[in-house]
Amino acid sequence: LNKYGTAVLVNIINEVGGFPTKNWTRGTFEKAYEISGEYLAEKYLKARKGCWGCVIQCARVAEVSKGPYYTPASEGPEYETIWANGANTMIGNLEAIIKINYLLNDLGFDTISFGNTVATLMELYEKARKGELPEDKAKKLLSLLQDIEPSWGNADAVIQLIWRTAYRIGIGDYTAEGAKRLAEEFGSPDSAIHVKGLELPAYDPRAINSMALSYATSNRGGCHLRAYAVSFDVLGVPKKFDPLAIDKEKVKLVKWQQDYFAVIDSLVVCKFNTFSTGPEDYVPLLQAALGWDDLTTEELLTIGERIYNVERLFAVREGYGYKDYLPKRLLEEPLPDGPAKGRTAKEALEKYLPYYYELRGWENGKPKPETLKRLGLEEFLYIVS
Amino acid sequence: LNKYGTAVLVNIINEVGGFPTKNWTRGTFEKAYEISGEYLAEKYLKARKGCWGCVIQCARVAEVSKGPYYTPASEGPEYETIWANGANTMIGNLEAIIKINYLLNDLGFDTISFGNTVATLMELYEKARKGELPEDKAKKLLSLLQDIEPSWGNADAVIQLIWRTAYRIGIGDYTAEGAKRLAEEFGSPDSAIHVKGLELPAYDPRAINSMALSYATSNRGGCHLRAYAVSFDVLGVPKKFDPLAIDKEKVKLVKWQQDYFAVIDSLVVCKFNTFSTGPEDYVPLLQAALGWDDLTTEELLTIGERIYNVERLFAVREGYGYKDYLPKRLLEEPLPDGPAKGRTAKEALEKYLPYYYELRGWENGKPKPETLKRLGLEEFLYIVS
């Protein structure tokens, strides 16, 4: 993390075949090395940065000193950004990605959502040209594009699109709504790879199967920060699993991470610490800081579980977001390449989800009344009864 | 005009050495042919267009079918646009100019003002890098540029700049104010080539000397549509002059054109008609349409003269725009190249202006009281007395 930043993951995830490419139609990108953390460090890195007092210093300061992608020394790009705006849109030029990252940050975009939305647009554009969209939708799409040609890998079109999206001009008025609404608008809803409206990050659950459960059950939609199952499926923390093997132990770890991370997030602690610390390490800190002498590790995780349940109760009450699922493409279209060739995420999701609900005390995505009672959340019983 | 559009002028004006290049520091552009009307017709022209019933059909429909400057079939580019955003910024790539033209039209820019403003910015940027701006101004400029490197000929930076200017982001908040204010803001006012705040169009008065008087005395600032002296200095309408010769006959023609064009503009007639018609041709038309039987050509031109004087009176009353001048660069820096090498516009302006005021009955740019009386404009005497 210090040497190459989060982008050290590019080569690692590409090697397990879980580096989503061309809007999630492939699992490896032939230009992965050219957009990797190693390449970044070699060519464009000006400095390393980090929070005050942190020994990791994971942040990058990158610069493109000249040419069409000229970018002053500025923060990033991070792994997720490189992936979403690189492999997923087939852009293999790190200079272009650095500029895209700079503009997105400057204008206040989420780089993961934007990269996915662009990839969705590129797929829609390809379909429109091939006559695979409804005729009126294709016509509308092509006319809204004006002078942009969002073909795979066209970085210049992406740079134009950033501005149009920021100011909702032409097609930008649609891309500003995110991948889900964009794909629905143009008659191809499965071209958007999202869970509950949130675009997925840089790990293909067909190749890293614990992520199937992690994405599906994330309360805020497809996210890698609720349970980072990559840590055990790929990186070996707390222990190494085969990312393609079905193993119920992983379900326990997903639930454990979700609860633990809810605590970590509430403590405003950086998640990178969890690569070397466990919940037990925070118990003495909290005892010392708050005088909370009888706190135990078990109780700390129960606090996390309570948070996770309350989040879910919010979704149940609002009527959106408690149905746990994965995008059709990941369930039905096998990966055509890499170590996970031929795999979908269907089996993992179908086998993991019932056991997960059992562990959580949920039914069809909703906490059971007895679970709320066990957690001392009786005040919310009205939502599930 | 039909075959090559207004851009037929690129090669013509470049050959007389009056094609302003690199923010008016040169009079010829080595890539003129590559941005000419001939080249446009050969490579990018999809159709010709024009007003209903017009035999000229001067408008172009151009397309860039692929690549980074992909632009759908759309109107233009015109000569002035090609010049301002081509030679004057050193962009010799017609595809880039077509895209720039498209974006400027789409966003509602004046392409002449924008191209000049970009050229001014490029000059300021060069000066900032060379240490030729005040230190605090240079620092401010470089920091506002963010990821844009406006070096001569950098079309990609210009495309970025269009959006920033449209939405007043970073340096765009300054370029949106035009060349004059931009140059003043960064401590180099003479880097803006304008008259009365309006950026000059595509004819260098050092090489086409009647334009010196035309620009200086235009009521709305440096403009080629008040007196298009190019028509006699270069194109031979109504008769051909040597564009470098000092000739008082030209002063008469500038005044005559200003008055005639005021009539033409009021009649909402296209100025291209004046290449083949004179004021006398409109007399029978007006007689027939309005029953204005005693109208004469002389009276029609007096109407134009009255308009020109009233415009000027407006400037006098408002206290801005009646001082007739040319930018310092055109008066003091000789052209380094082409047929007009070694020339400035100083002699022409100094010799023409007094005679022009004599013909107009003006003094120091202000109509004299007796002139207003002669024209029947007594109601405005309060402005000049």
Side-chain angles (χ1 to χ4, degrees):
Chain A
L1 277 175
N2 174 267
K3 194 164 178 194
Y4 299 124
T6 53
V8 69
L9 284 169
V10 171
N11 286 323
I12 297 171
I13 303 300
N14 193 57
E15 271 159 38
V16 301
F19 196 54
T21 297
K22 208 178 179 187
N23 200 30
W24 301 78
T25 59
R26 295 165 34 189
T28 62
F29 185 40
E30 61 277 16
K31 294 184 181 165
Y33 176 70
E34 291 159 54
I35 61 172
S36 67
E38 291 85 339
Y39 197 81
L40 175 68
E42 189 190 324
K43 301 263 191 177
Y44 308 106
L45 192 65
K46 301 301 288 183
R48 294 175 171 85
K49 273 180 76 174
C51 299
W52 187 83
C54 179
V55 295
I56 302 179
Q57 302 286 306
C58 67
R60 310 286 95 178
V61 175
E63 181 190 55
V64 180
S65 61
K66 59 188 168 195
Y69 303 121
Y70 168 76
T71 310
S74 48
E75 226 172 300
E78 300 289 340
Y79 168 64
E80 302 289 341
T81 305
I82 289 178
W83 160 73
N85 298 279
N88 207 35
T89 60
M90 300 289 279
I91 293 174
N93 180 334
L94 192 52
E95 296 192 1
I97 295 169
I98 289 170
K99 187 174 190 101
I100 289 167
N101 173 63
Y102 176 87
L103 290 170
L104 292 176
N105 285 342
D106 209 39
L107 291 160
F109 281 80
D110 180 295
T111 61
I112 301 179
S113 287
F114 184 76
N116 269 289
T117 304
V118 169
T120 297
L121 179 67
M122 287 174 170
E123 181 170 315
L124 292 171
Y125 176 70
E126 191 177 35
K127 282 177 181 284
R129 297 293 290 257
K130 285 186 183 166
E132 293 172 11
L133 289 188
E135 202 176 329
D136 58 324
K137 302 289 189 184
K139 201 175 154 191
K140 181 178 172 183
L141 178 72
L142 295 174
S143 105
L144 281 166
L145 289 172
Q146 298 174 293
D147 60 320
I148 292 178
E149 196 187 18
S151 49
W152 297 107
N154 185 345
D156 296 292
V158 174
I159 288 171
Q160 291 282 307
L161 196 60
I162 292 171
W163 294 96
R164 307 224 180 156
T165 304
Y167 294 101
R168 304 191 77 119
I169 298 157
I171 191 67
D173 202 23
Y174 296 86
T175 47
E177 296 281 323
K180 176 176 181 284
R181 288 182 182 154
L182 176 72
E184 286 169 358
E185 177 68 34
F186 293 101
S188 180
D190 295 327
S191 294
I193 309 305
H194 69 92
V195 169
K196 304 171 189 175
L198 186 63
E199 296 82 0
L200 295 188
Y203 314 92
D204 197 313
R206 290 171 291 190
I208 304 169
N209 78 22
S210 303
M211 287 308 287
L213 184 64
S214 173
Y215 288 149
T217 62
S218 165
N219 282 322
R220 68 166 181 178
C223 172
H224 58 303
L225 296 170
R226 293 297 164 261
Y228 189 67
V230 175
S231 77
F232 45 89
D233 260 0
V234 180
L235 305 174
V237 178
K239 74 173 190 181
K240 181 75 178 83
F241 287 80
D242 173 354
L244 296 173
I246 301 290
D247 184 337
K248 284 195 168 180
E249 180 79 9
K250 295 181 180 182
V251 178
K252 286 185 187 165
L253 279 169
V254 165
K255 176 189 176 293
W256 175 82
Q257 272 194 338
Q258 288 174 340
D259 295 345
Y260 175 29
F261 285 6
V263 168
I264 286 287
D265 284 341
S266 301
L267 290 174
V268 200
V269 165
C270 169
K271 232 157 251 170
F272 285 154
N273 287 292
T274 66
F275 287 127
S276 59
T277 61
E280 65 282 4
D281 295 305
Y282 297 92
V283 172
L285 297 177
L286 280 165
Q287 286 173 336
L290 303 173
W292 194 351
D293 294 334
D294 57 352
L295 180 67
T296 63
T297 302
E298 195 184 21
E299 172 59 13
L300 195 59
L301 285 171
T302 302
I303 291 170
E305 186 176 7
R306 219 174 266 130
I307 293 169
Y308 214 80
N309 273 272
V310 173
E311 287 177 355
R312 178 57 58 120
L313 286 165
F314 177 84
V316 174
R317 191 188 68 190
E318 300 303 321
Y320 182 79
Y322 61 87
K323 195 183 160 232
D324 299 315
Y325 68 94
L326 282 182
K328 202 173 163 193
R329 177 162 302 167
L330 307 185
L331 297 175
E332 299 186 2
E333 296 177 23
L335 276 172
D337 61 341
K341 186 173 172 173
R343 300 273 185 159
T344 73
K346 195 163 194 274
E347 188 191 358
L349 188 64
E350 285 178 355
K351 295 218 165 124
Y352 290 162
L353 199 55
Y355 184 51
Y356 173 86
Y357 285 159
E358 189 186 324
L359 291 175
R360 279 246 173 261
W362 291 1
E363 191 164 13
N364 292 326
K366 298 179 187 181
K368 292 181 189 172
E370 60 259 39
T371 303
L372 299 190
K373 284 175 195 157
R374 172 173 61 83
L375 294 168
L377 297 171
E378 290 88 348
E379 60 184 304
F380 300 118
L381 277 171
Y382 77 95
I383 294 174
V384 295
S385 59
Chain B
L1 278 174
N2 174 266
K3 195 163 177 193
Y4 299 125
T6 53
V8 69
L9 284 169
V10 171
N11 286 323
I12 296 171
I13 303 301
N14 192 57
E15 271 159 38
V16 301
F19 196 54
T21 297
K22 208 178 179 188
N23 200 31
W24 301 78
T25 59
R26 294 166 35 190
T28 62
F29 184 40
E30 61 276 16
K31 294 184 182 165
Y33 176 71
E34 291 158 55
I35 62 172
S36 67
E38 292 85 338
Y39 197 80
L40 176 68
E42 189 190 325
K43 301 264 190 177
Y44 307 107
L45 192 65
K46 300 302 287 182
R48 294 176 171 84
K49 272 180 77 174
C51 299
W52 187 82
C54 179
V55 294
I56 302 179
Q57 303 286 306
C58 67
R60 310 287 95 178
V61 175
E63 180 190 56
V64 180
S65 60
K66 58 188 168 196
Y69 303 121
Y70 169 76
T71 310
S74 48
E75 227 172 298
E78 300 289 340
Y79 168 64
E80 301 289 341
T81 305
I82 290 178
W83 160 73
N85 299 279
N88 207 34
T89 60
M90 300 289 280
I91 293 175
N93 180 334
L94 193 51
E95 296 193 1
I97 295 169
I98 290 169
K99 187 174 191 103
I100 289 167
N101 173 63
Y102 176 86
L103 290 170
L104 292 176
N105 285 341
D106 209 40
L107 291 160
F109 281 80
D110 179 295
T111 60
I112 301 178
S113 288
F114 184 76
N116 269 289
T117 304
V118 169
T120 297
L121 179 67
M122 288 174 170
E123 181 170 315
L124 292 171
Y125 176 69
E126 192 177 34
K127 282 177 181 285
R129 297 293 290 256
K130 285 187 183 165
E132 293 171 11
L133 289 188
E135 202 177 328
D136 58 324
K137 301 290 188 182
K139 201 174 154 192
K140 181 177 172 185
L141 178 72
L142 295 174
S143 104
L144 281 166
L145 289 173
Q146 297 175 294
D147 61 321
I148 292 178
E149 196 188 18
S151 49
W152 298 107
N154 185 345
D156 296 292
V158 174
I159 288 172
Q160 291 282 308
L161 196 60
I162 292 171
W163 294 97
R164 307 223 180 157
T165 304
Y167 294 100
R168 305 191 77 119
I169 298 157
I171 190 66
D173 202 23
Y174 296 86
T175 48
E177 296 281 324
K180 176 176 181 284
R181 289 182 182 154
L182 176 72
E184 286 169 358
E185 177 69 34
F186 293 101
S188 180
D190 295 326
S191 294
I193 309 305
H194 70 92
V195 169
K196 304 170 189 176
L198 186 62
E199 296 82 1
L200 295 188
Y203 313 92
D204 197 313
R206 290 170 291 190
I208 304 169
N209 77 22
S210 303
M211 288 308 287
L213 185 64
S214 172
Y215 288 150
T217 62
S218 166
N219 282 322
R220 69 166 181 178
C223 172
H224 58 303
L225 295 170
R226 293 296 164 262
Y228 189 67
V230 175
S231 77
F232 45 89
D233 260 0
V234 180
L235 305 174
V237 178
K239 73 173 191 182
K240 180 76 177 82
F241 287 80
D242 173 354
L244 296 174
I246 301 290
D247 184 337
K248 284 195 167 179
E249 180 78 10
K250 294 182 180 181
V251 178
K252 286 184 187 166
L253 279 170
V254 166
K255 175 189 175 293
W256 174 83
Q257 272 194 340
Q258 288 174 340
D259 295 345
Y260 175 29
F261 285 7
V263 168
I264 286 287
D265 283 342
S266 301
L267 291 174
V268 200
V269 165
C270 170
K271 232 157 251 171
F272 285 154
N273 287 292
T274 66
F275 287 127
S276 59
T277 61
E280 65 282 3
D281 295 306
Y282 297 92
V283 172
L285 297 177
L286 280 165
Q287 286 172 336
L290 303 173
W292 194 352
D293 294 333
D294 57 352
L295 180 67
T296 63
T297 302
E298 195 183 21
E299 172 60 13
L300 194 60
L301 286 170
T302 303
I303 291 170
E305 186 176 7
R306 219 173 267 130
I307 294 169
Y308 214 80
N309 273 272
V310 173
E311 288 177 355
R312 178 57 58 121
L313 286 164
F314 176 84
V316 175
R317 191 187 69 190
E318 300 303 321
Y320 182 79
Y322 61 87
K323 195 182 160 232
D324 299 316
Y325 68 95
L326 282 182
K328 201 173 164 194
R329 177 163 302 168
L330 307 185
L331 297 175
E332 299 185 2
E333 296 177 23
L335 276 172
D337 60 341
K341 186 173 172 174
R343 299 273 185 160
T344 73
K346 194 163 194 274
E347 188 192 358
L349 188 64
E350 285 179 355
K351 295 218 164 123
Y352 290 162
L353 199 56
Y355 184 52
Y356 173 85
Y357 285 159
E358 190 186 323
L359 290 175
R360 280 248 174 259
W362 291 1
E363 192 165 11
N364 292 327
K366 298 180 187 180
K368 293 182 188 172
E370 60 260 38
T371 303
L372 299 190
K373 284 175 194 157
R374 172 173 61 83
L375 294 169
L377 297 171
E378 290 88 347
E379 61 183 303
F380 299 118
L381 277 171
Y382 77 95
I383 295 174
V384 294
S385 58

